[in-house]
Amino acid sequence: MKKKILSGMRPTGKLHLGHLIGTLDNWVKLQEEYDCFFMVADWHALMSEYEDPAHMGDTIIDNVADWLACGISPKKAALFIQSQVPAHLELYMFLSLFTPLGWLERCPTYKEQLREIKNRDLKTYAFLGYPVLQAADILLYKSDIVPVGEDQLPHLELTREIARKFNSMYKKEVFPQPQALLNTVSKLRGLDGRKMSKSYNNYINLSEEPEEVRKKIKDMFTDPLRIRLNDPGHPDKCNVHSYYAVLAPLREPEIDTLCRKAQIGCTECKKELAEILISYLAPIQKKRKDLLQDKGYIRDILREGKEKAYAAALETIVSVRKLLQVQYEL
Ligand code: TRP
Ligand code: SF4
């Protein structure tokens, strides 16, 4: 039997290059080998966006169009929306029964978000339970492996603790201990050199128009020591160069040499990069556009995915109800 994978993404906005390089490209590889469930984590998104959920419906379809355009195949993986499988909330409740408050209050992601995010009220009962819902997502499908970014490691640790506590309390090995599979740390930074993120406004969306791409690349910082055209550059200190390494690995060594010998100027170098990126995105954007012309097709895929997820989730939830003496026959 194939090992199982569940992963999810919150539908909080358009997907950018940082989502493709590091996460989606990883999912595309994993779907070949594992039994994959890829989930739109809309409940998780609501935990922070509950005051203004107006865009969520469109964002979900838009994000799934990007998943498909980047190579996720509904034949190989089940794509579904978390809120369409009610068992997530049910297991979340079961796990909440015995999850100590201290585990959640100490969770580094929780403390950090409370500190960093000032424009929303996150001091809520639901937000504290964010990692418990994530544990429910993972355990519901008995996933063996969970591909995530480094920031999510504490949630995986908590999931394992919850699974251990459940198994030992009810004296039954219901849940396996899921392992995190770290996404390849994206070598592609944001336009300003920090992690690419919507909140830093340093991103290039997968759906970015060519003119916008040119503008954004033009404004990127380059080697700060290179002031005049004939100053030799230091590609290792230049974010533009690291984009070449990821997007055009064959051109990268030449750019490296030209830059060090001051035989290419930064303006020219960035112009070339912009065109490389535009052609890199072109096939994705074409597929995305075709997909978005028939949203019914995307909804069909999500419906099929839901059916598969629903069946797998039901099996787990029935066994949990039995163990906890909650009525399972009506
Ligand atoms: N918390 C994850 C994030 O912000 C999203 C997520 C929700 C998830 N449920 C999950 C990831 C289950 C992996 C497994 O990135
Ligand atoms: Fe960076 Fe290119 Fe300028 Fe070199 S030439 S510093 S790689 S932008």
Side-chain angles (χ1 to χ4, degrees):
M1 233 178 53
K2 283 190 194 172
K3 287 199 169 188
K4 283 195 271 186
I5 281 190
L6 173 117
S7 198
M9 237 185 243
R10 291 177 309 135
T12 50
K14 287 195 172 266
L15 300 189
H16 51 61
L17 271 175
H19 293 109
L20 170 56
I21 292 159
T23 302
L24 277 175
D25 56 358
N26 207 17
W27 289 10
V28 170
K29 275 190 237 134
L30 293 168
Q31 67 180 353
E32 300 297 334
E33 262 185 75
Y34 297 91
D35 193 6
C36 289
F37 292 87
F38 296 133
M39 177 185 80
V40 178
D42 57 342
W43 280 122
H44 279 108
L46 273 178
M47 284 177 178
S48 52
E49 319 274 310
Y50 59 92
E51 285 168 287
D52 184 18
H55 305 287
M56 203 147 75
D58 292 339
T59 302
I60 290 173
I61 298 296
D62 189 277
N63 287 180
V64 174
D66 279 340
W67 293 5
L68 295 166
C70 290
I72 302 290
S73 161
K75 293 200 187 71
K76 296 177 185 157
L79 316 187
F80 71 101
I81 304 173
Q82 184 186 35
S83 63
Q84 301 218 317
V85 180
H88 288 256
L89 292 185
E90 190 172 340
L91 187 58
Y92 169 49
M93 178 67 204
F94 278 126
L95 304 179
S96 302
L97 295 173
F98 59 84
T99 302
L101 275 177
W103 289 5
L104 301 173
E105 285 160 347
R106 274 196 299 274
C107 189
T109 49
Y110 177 68
K111 289 195 290 190
E112 187 189 309
Q113 306 257 39
L114 282 194
R115 227 183 310 116
E116 304 265 316
I117 300 177
K118 295 281 178 236
N119 54 347
R120 304 197 193 99
D121 182 8
L122 296 182
K123 235 174 148 21
T124 61
Y125 167 55
F127 194 69
L128 181 66
Y130 184 108
V132 186
L133 180 60
Q134 188 165 348
D137 300 338
I138 296 166
L139 298 178
L140 200 50
Y141 300 93
K142 303 193 176 176
S143 16
D144 302 289
I145 294 167
V146 185
V148 283
E150 200 167 7
D151 59 317
Q152 297 289 306
L153 290 180
H155 294 169
L156 261 291
E157 191 49 52
L158 206 76
T159 303
R160 281 192 292 276
E161 278 190 82
I162 289 175
R164 276 195 291 273
K165 190 161 176 185
F166 185 101
N167 292 344
S168 81
M169 196 153 45
Y170 303 111
K171 300 184 182 54
K172 198 164 175 228
E173 285 298 305
V174 176
F175 297 119
Q177 306 277 310
Q179 297 305 315
L181 177 72
L182 265 194
N183 292 336
T184 40
V185 179
S186 186
K187 286 188 212 88
L188 198 85
R189 314 296 305 166
L191 293 165
D192 59 359
R194 292 187 290 173
K195 183 185 157 130
M196 193 178 280
S197 157
K198 188 173 94 169
S199 41
Y200 295 155
N201 197 11
N202 63 356
Y203 56 85
I204 293 182
N205 283 334
L206 296 178
S207 55
E208 207 82 68
E209 296 287 343
E211 260 326 294
E212 264 310 288
V213 172
R214 289 189 188 103
K215 205 164 137 249
K216 287 187 171 182
I217 299 280
K218 184 168 162 263
D219 290 343
M220 276 174 86
F221 289 112
T222 60
D223 173 7
L225 297 174
R226 210 175 165 203
I227 296 154
R228 268 156 288 136
L229 193 58
N230 50 1
D231 289 339
H234 306 80
D236 46 318
K237 293 199 181 69
C238 173
N239 198 19
V240 173
H241 172 260
S242 58
Y243 273 55
Y244 272 98
V246 176
L247 301 169
L250 296 178
R251 178 69 170 140
E252 179 270 324
E254 293 160 2
I255 290 290
D256 192 282
T257 313
L258 291 170
C259 172
R260 284 178 201 279
K261 292 188 177 157
Q263 288 170 349
I264 187 172
C266 294
T267 309
E268 193 188 337
C269 183
K270 288 196 277 187
K271 268 195 184 142
E272 182 179 331
L273 175 67
E275 298 315 310
I276 289 172
L277 183 50
I278 289 165
S279 355
Y280 182 90
L281 291 174
I284 298 174
Q285 295 188 347
K286 174 165 189 334
K287 233 176 133 187
R288 184 190 136 80
K289 204 170 146 215
D290 293 345
L291 284 159
L292 286 172
Q293 237 132 55
D294 184 7
K295 293 188 182 151
Y297 171 70
I298 298 179
R299 288 201 190 91
D300 286 344
I301 288 172
L302 290 169
R303 197 172 306 118
E304 271 170 46
K306 171 194 133 178
E307 271 155 30
K308 186 167 174 220
Y310 196 97
L314 191 65
E315 217 177 289
T316 308
I317 210 73
V318 167
S319 66
V320 172
R321 284 190 204 176
K322 283 185 183 164
L323 269 176
L324 276 95
Q325 296 295 304
V326 172
Q327 292 307 302
Y328 51 91
E329 276 175 310
L330 290 175

